[in-house]
Amino acid sequence: KAETCGYQSCPQVDPTKLNVHLVAHTHDDVGWLKTVDQYYYGARTDIQRAGVQYILDSVVDALKDNPQRRFIYVETAFFWKWWLEQSLERQQLVKDLVNEGRLEFTGGAWSMNDEAAVHYHSTIDQFTWGLRKLNDTFGACGRPHVGWQIDPFGHSREMASTFSRMGYDGLFFARLDYQDKAERLRQKTTEMVWQGSPNLGKSSADLFTSVLYNHYSAPRGFCFDVLCQDDPFIDNTNSADYNVDEKVNEFVSFVLQQAQSYTTNNIILTMGDDFHYQDASMYFKNLDKLIKYVNAANESL
Amino acid sequence: YVNNSRVNVFYSTPSCYLKAVHDAGQTWTTKQDDFFPYASDPHSYWTGFYTSRPTLKRFERLGNNFLQVCKQLYALTDLGPEDWVDLN
């Protein structure tokens, strides 16, 4: 079967329109308020309602249901625990999803490491460990192309250099100084080429870097996770609660606002948050409708 | 950015966004320094964690040292996969 992952599997963009890239994701801390195993199995819900095994189970089902859907997964420590518990049939299904670019690894290290208190040696070791598992399991289609450091509290130049030298093509993150962010949004310098090293040869440690707009969360009103309180799309015109026109307008106004701070006719929207997608169908069902109704409304313009 | 308000929404991934931005063929501003310190508002500088839990921080550095020693000895002894079980 021909591999159609990576850049080959990308959707067509329309150069005459504002292209809104919906990125369904879950931010799964490898230990925080709970231990790694408590997070994985979903124990101690009194502390935090989070169970990664349910996330991966339901995401795979949701991806199987609709070939248009995409999901990125980041933390190989959790993925590997889950992978070892799957049947051969389930593993083959996941391999197919990865080979078709429907499930894509982003970041791909054992965890999303801190950038302030780490030693670069440990950073490389934990990347090697995560990337080796992905490579041994999925081959070329398991290879992440971009860094995804959405939560670390500040970012080091050495990390940019390391990403570049590991062959990554870009980096996305959310946390930068609030004044820096405000200024970058105003000046449209939210995206840049980060020159990771003053020592390595010209451009050999350069890394395209993009600052995410809305932290790493979905726009207000469009969080469809089981952990959120936003209304779903109610698209039956006979329903007293029909809300499609209102939601489409709200969404379009958000993306036009965001587009003002970026320079191409592409923007990225992070549709997820901490330990989201424990019930992936709930999220994806509404994203399917979002895509359908927003595109339908904009075709008539 | 775009002058018209026509919006095209679709499922994507960060690498596909990167490809689309790359294909736009723009030049970008550059950056040479880092993104420290991180402040989320005027009175919240996230610099305490540079030193928090010093014992744990030291244990990690020491653990890294031990790990490198183990890896080097492992390489020197020329152990193969058949020996892995003895190491567990």
Side-chain angles (χ1 to χ4, degrees), chain A residues 80-260:
Chain A
W80 194 247
K81 282 177 85 73
W82 180 82
W83 177 258
L84 295 176
E85 294 183 349
Q86 304 310 302
S87 66
L88 284 175
E89 290 77 14
R90 194 78 169 162
Q91 290 185 343
Q92 189 54 52
L93 169 62
V94 173
K95 281 182 184 174
D96 291 344
L97 292 173
V98 172
N99 285 336
E100 289 163 23
R102 294 153 70 180
L103 175 63
E104 185 171 292
F105 295 101
T106 302
W110 201 242
S111 77
M112 185 185 301
N113 63 266
D114 171 51
E115 300 185 28
V118 289
H119 193 283
Y120 76 96
H121 207 154
S122 299
T123 301
I124 292 169
D125 271 3
Q126 74 102 13
F127 263 89
T128 307
W129 190 244
L131 295 175
R132 184 187 295 167
K133 298 292 185 198
L134 296 179
N135 188 55
D136 290 351
T137 310
F138 301 105
C141 286
R143 178 191 161 195
H145 291 281
V146 300
W148 189 251
Q149 295 288 102
I150 58 174
D151 202 29
F153 289 69
H155 303 278
S156 73
R157 192 185 187 188
E158 183 57 35
M159 193 70 230
S161 176
T162 306
F163 268 124
S164 179
R165 301 305 297 163
M166 288 190 295
Y168 284 70
D169 297 324
L171 168 67
F172 294 80
F173 65 69
R175 296 189 187 275
L176 71 168
D177 177 84
Y178 71 103
Q179 292 179 96
D180 191 8
K181 186 176 181 186
E183 188 63 9
R184 286 181 180 280
L185 290 172
R186 208 170 60 77
Q187 303 270 10
K188 297 192 189 190
T189 51
T190 41
E191 298 180 316
M192 71 211 82
V193 171
W194 193 355
Q195 299 176 328
S197 173
N199 312 112
L200 295 168
K202 188 174 173 0
S203 80
S204 64
D206 287 4
L207 187 69
F208 175 81
T209 301
S210 182
V211 172
L212 297 169
Y213 183 73
N214 190 39
H215 194 49
Y216 53 78
S217 309
R220 186 191 295 271
F222 295 89
C223 178
F224 302 116
D225 197 73
V226 68
L227 297 174
C228 289
Q229 285 79 43
D230 295 342
D231 282 338
F233 273 83
I234 302 169
D235 51 358
N236 182 342
T237 48
N238 293 323
S239 170
D241 295 322
Y242 175 85
N243 63 3
V244 171
D245 299 339
E246 183 189 328
K247 281 192 105 66
V248 167
N249 286 339
E250 214 179 316
F251 186 79
V252 169
S253 116
F254 179 89
V255 298
L256 292 180
Q257 178 74 33
Q258 176 172 342
Q260 286 178 9

Side-chain angles (χ1 to χ4, degrees), chain B residues 23-40:
Chain B
D23 291 346
Q26 279 191 205
T27 52
W28 306 94
T29 57
T30 57
K31 178 178 175 71
Q32 282 85 30
D33 56 347
D34 59 33
F35 285 95
F36 289 120
Y38 166 61
S40 47

Side-chain angles (χ1 to χ4, degrees), chain B residues 8 14 25 36 50-51 62-64 66 76:
Chain B
N8 181 34
F36 289 120
Y50 301 169
T51 55
L62 202 57
N64 180 50
F66 290 155
L76 282 170

